[in-house]
Amino acid sequence: MSYVTVIGAATMDISAKSARRIIPCDSNPGTIRRSIGGVGRNVADNLARLSAPVKLIVAVGEDLFGAEILEGCRCVGIDVSHCPCIAGVSTSTYNAVLDADGEMHVAVMDDSCLLSMAHIEAHADAIADSRLIVLDMNLDAGLIGEILGRFAGIDFYAETVSSTKAQKIKEHVGRFHTIKMNALEASVLAGMEIESEADICAAGDYFMRAGTKRVVISLGARGLYYRTRDEEIRLTTMPLSPQNATGAGDAMMAGLVYCSVAGKSAAYTAEFAQTMAQIALMSETTVSERICVQNVEKQMRGIKS
């Protein structure tokens, strides 16, 4: 299994969970935790826990948070030898407030520490040897286009992050092998409302016509839509009481990447990716310590791990 390169963002995540219904403009009792995060870093962390060789390229500041992020990555087996440390810039920080049931109430992101094309060119040889490249949409829109052009011929996977950030690849959808998104992000990229089952299929048709080889639309409690040019899979999901919804999409992307490099079938891949998201939802941390291939497969078979 040759290595995967993930290019995107790494942050220090500060998560505050209210013990009861949030009262705006007031002090709410609850718990506050700090953990290493960032979409690209989260994807890489999940991949490392699946024993997939992964290089991470993110920018961090020359500060305590930056050092903690890099050391945390090394501890789980992520190659961070290509990550630039930028002097005079604070490491990006993400602060989320969760309500009592674990759903995000509001979040604030300081993403002033970002990669540039100069950083990418400095490590172009390593990137060019990648099995595939995962891009998260926290990157600058212009940089995304430059990377797609610079490494054309390698399969690109898009983690859309949000409906606003998904718009960065609206003109590039056909250049991605895989785009993983939720229904709102898919509606932005496809230019259509996605409410009914027919709408979901129509969105899948749009991406196939545009040239995307695979689209995966996370539908939350409604399950998962998985589409390639040859197969269309619709999965439902079990009822859950989420502990933390922050890292579920990142875990799902890692599941898709792992199954691609491991040569798994479409049916297995769709179920594996959905199960990764379910495990993440039930974890209080952004990346679940339960993530490993054995535990995911046990949950796919309905066996408690």
Side-chain angles (χ1 to χ4, degrees), residues 49-286:
R49 293 172 191 272
L50 296 172
S51 299
V54 56
K55 293 182 183 292
L56 177 65
I57 301 181
V58 296
V60 296
E62 289 186 341
D63 52 23
L64 291 175
F65 280 178
E68 187 174 339
I69 287 171
L70 295 181
E71 182 58 26
C73 289
R74 294 187 192 101
C75 287
V76 295
I78 301 169
D79 181 348
V80 291
S81 60
H82 306 288
C83 293
C85 294
I86 304 174
V89 179
S90 298
T91 297
S92 296
T93 305
Y94 175 81
N95 196 332
V97 177
L98 313 176
D99 58 25
D101 60 8
E103 291 292 332
M104 191 195 332
H105 182 74
V106 68
V108 175
M109 174 72 177
D110 173 3
D111 59 357
S112 54
C113 189
L114 293 175
L115 290 167
S116 69
M117 195 60 197
H119 298 136
I120 300 300
E121 287 292 354
H123 304 284
D125 290 345
I127 298 171
D129 287 336
S130 305
R131 166 68 177 79
L132 59 88
I133 299 170
V134 180
L135 299 181
D136 90 51
M137 297 304 105
N138 286 304
L139 297 169
D140 178 77
L143 179 59
I144 291 169
E146 289 185 271
I147 293 172
L148 290 170
R150 178 68 172 80
F151 302 102
I154 301 176
D155 286 342
F156 282 94
Y157 285 45
E159 173 56 64
T160 50
V161 180
S162 71
S163 59
T164 300
K165 294 181 179 180
Q167 296 180 58
K168 296 177 183 179
I169 60 164
K170 191 171 178 63
E171 64 181 278
H172 301 301
V173 291
R175 302 172 75 176
F176 284 92
H177 176 284
T178 296
I179 303 177
K180 197 283 295 176
M181 56 206 137
N182 63 26
L184 180 57
E185 293 154 5
S187 70
V188 167
L189 289 176
M192 63 180 73
E193 294 295 323
I194 299 178
E195 297 177 354
S196 67
E197 291 294 317
D199 295 337
I200 297 169
C201 295
D205 291 339
Y206 168 83
F207 288 104
M208 294 300 103
R209 290 194 303 269
T212 313
K213 294 182 180 179
R214 178 172 62 178
V215 295
V216 179
I217 304 176
S218 172
L219 302 166
R222 296 167 61 194
L224 179 76
Y225 176 79
Y226 182 104
R227 175 75 178 273
T228 67
R229 297 174 187 178
D230 300 318
E231 298 185 75
E232 190 173 35
I233 299 171
R234 181 70 170 87
L235 298 180
T236 57
T237 188
M238 67 181 74
L240 295 172
S241 299
Q243 297 299 306
N244 184 355
T246 304
D250 306 335
M252 181 178 288
M253 172 57 87
L256 295 171
V257 172
Y258 165 78
C259 290
S260 291
V261 296
K264 301 297 185 180
S265 69
Y268 177 98
T269 300
E271 187 176 358
F272 189 95
Q274 179 172 260
T275 305
M276 286 282 292
Q278 291 170 347
I279 292 174
L281 283 168
M282 300 310 296
S283 172
E284 291 189 351
T285 56
T286 304

Side-chain angles (χ1 to χ4, degrees), residues 21-35:
R21 183 180 63 84
I22 290 176
I23 302 173
C25 305
D26 199 3
S27 176
N28 292 266
T31 55
I32 298 176
R33 292 183 173 85
R34 192 181 79 200
S35 62

